Amino acid sequence: MVMALADSVPGVSGGTLAFILGFYDKFIDSLHEFFGSQGEKRKEAFKYLFKFGLG
């Protein structure tokens, strides 16, 4: 949700804000695990990405 709000402000990037707030690495790791893993890691990544998507 924070990233979406940041995108509505001219000159502010949602990705930059995610990096500053510290959840950019978790997001990238979850994408990697979702597309490159199987089993429990993939389920955990899906849960995180789903929550992220709801925001």
Side-chain angles (χ1 to χ4, degrees):
M1 192 158 100
V2 173
M3 289 175 60
L5 289 174
D7 286 336
S8 66
V9 178
V12 178
S13 168
T16 302
L17 196 58
F19 180 74
I20 291 170
L21 294 175
F23 58 87
Y24 185 79
D25 290 332
K26 174 73 174 164
F27 175 67
I28 297 299
D29 289 342
S30 293
L31 284 174
H32 177 71
E33 289 176 2
F34 183 73
F35 290 109
S37 301
Q38 294 181 4
E40 191 63 32
K41 283 187 174 185
R42 188 173 188 165
K43 288 179 186 178
E44 291 298 320
F46 177 77
K47 288 179 189 177
Y48 179 79
L49 293 171
F50 184 75
K51 291 176 191 176
F52 194 81
L54 286 178

